[in-house]
Amino acid sequence: MDIAERMKQWQGKVAVVTGASGAIGAAVAKELVKAGMIVCALARRRDKVERLRASLFDVAGNLNCVECDITVEEDVKHAYGWIESIYGGVDLLVNNAGIVTKCLLTEKNNTKDLYTTMETNIIGLCLCTREAVKSMKARDVKGHIININSIFGHKVHQAVPGTRPLNGMYPASKYAVTAITECIRQELIYLESQVKVSSISPGLVEGDIVANHTAAGNDLVKYMPKLRPEDVAEAVLYAITTPENVQIHELVIKPMGEFL
């Protein structure tokens, strides 16, 4: 049975995708809508989501843009409250929103960047997960939580000697996502929930982060092998279509030829 056939179990169900205005989030939202899901895209940039919505033609009505800053608790609660009032609740959460800042940990005047990274990549993820689990458990659904992690959540890569390190706080935040995924798994068992949780860790992906590094003058990133956002979206579909007794806890995907 192929993925398209297995995705029939999700038709008509509700997915929340955070960071849907970015490259990976947009690709995930698009594939879920095409598979028959109702997608609520949480994003700060409505214009980007609306452009994606317009490209979906006859299924555009299944993509909703919900303006939300996931680092603000009241925003998150309001978004989930709206989803519950319109659709009854959430069946799938894709925690995709993330940020990379260019500051070094040892730089002065970097406090704002440090907080921004942690609040987006960790706190926002936790807030969205908390509200999703609340919705899923109240309705006793066989839901799924997907955390879009990174290979940087498993290894801090060596900087090229003599060049400015690019790691900053990003690997620390993604290591946290690796730990949080396991903590959530254990909590769901304790709660006797039927909800699955998976971490998907892609290597370098063409999109917003790559563009930012290239614009900053990091030519090395420009020539490195890359995944497409659609590759990550396909990994999400794979993770959510396993048999009931199978839970993909960690899935690492890398572009061919990646040397990190």
Side-chain angles (χ1 to χ4, degrees):
M1 188 185 300
D2 62 16
I3 289 181
E5 184 67 25
R6 297 200 301 270
M7 276 299 294
K8 288 183 178 180
Q9 65 181 297
W10 290 101
Q11 287 183 358
K13 294 189 177 181
V14 179
V16 167
V17 179
T18 69
S21 58
I24 294 175
V28 171
K30 183 176 181 178
E31 290 304 314
L32 294 178
V33 168
K34 287 167 57 180
M37 295 195 73
I38 298 166
V39 176
C40 297
L42 272 56
R44 291 181 296 180
R45 294 287 306 275
R46 173 177 288 274
D47 57 327
K48 288 189 175 183
V49 178
E50 289 298 338
R51 284 199 293 272
L52 173 63
R53 189 173 187 271
S55 73
L56 294 173
F57 302 108
D58 57 328
V59 291
N62 286 343
L63 177 62
N64 303 276
C65 180
V66 185
E67 289 189 64
C68 177
D69 182 343
I70 65 166
T71 69
V72 179
E73 184 177 14
E74 288 308 311
D75 272 19
V76 174
K77 287 183 175 180
H78 182 268
Y80 275 87
W82 181 86
I83 294 167
E84 183 174 352
S85 67
I86 301 298
Y87 297 113
V90 178
D91 302 292
L92 169 67
L93 167 64
V94 181
N95 279 312
N96 166 73
I99 190 170
V100 176
T101 55
K102 301 182 182 70
C103 72
L104 302 180
L105 297 180
T106 51
E107 275 183 330
K108 62 181 180 180
N109 301 323
N110 65 353
T111 304
K112 182 179 179 180
D113 282 344
L114 296 178
Y115 273 101
T116 298
T117 302
M118 293 309 221
E119 288 173 349
T120 304
N121 296 1
I122 300 175
I123 301 301
L125 179 147
C126 290
L127 292 175
C128 290
T129 299
R130 182 189 69 192
E131 297 304 310
V133 170
K134 177 183 175 183
S135 174
M136 294 173 188
K137 185 162 174 48
R139 291 152 42 242
D140 195 29
V141 299
K142 296 177 181 178
H144 206 131
I145 297 163
I146 300 284
N147 292 331
I148 303 299
N149 198 341
S150 168
I151 55 170
F152 283 95
H154 307 275
K155 180 180 180 182
V156 179
H157 298 289
Q158 178 65 48
V160 177
T163 65
R164 178 185 172 89
L166 299 174
N167 294 316
M169 185 62 80
Y170 187 72
S173 69
K174 290 303 186 178
Y175 263 77
V177 172
T178 300
I180 289 167
T181 302
E182 173 59 16
C183 291
I184 294 169
R185 188 187 71 84
Q186 294 183 18
E187 289 185 19
L188 291 170
I189 293 173
Y190 169 73
L191 294 171
E192 299 181 345
S193 169
Q194 300 182 81
V195 177
K196 296 180 181 181
V197 59
S198 304
S199 169
I200 296 178
S201 296
L204 192 62
V205 181
E206 188 66 64
D208 306 320
I209 292 176
V210 170
N212 289 340
H213 281 310
T214 302
N218 183 6
D219 290 333
L220 178 63
V221 172
K222 185 189 303 183
Y223 299 108
M224 290 171 62
K226 303 173 188 68
L227 296 165
R228 301 170 303 139
E230 292 77 14
D231 298 326
V232 183
E234 289 181 11
V236 171
L237 298 190
Y238 174 72
I240 66 175
T241 54
T242 54
E244 285 189 18
N245 65 312
V246 177
Q247 178 173 219
I248 293 179
H249 184 66
E250 178 66 54
L251 180 61
V252 178
I253 55 174
K254 294 186 177 185
M256 287 294 292
E258 181 175 284
F259 53 83
L260 294 177

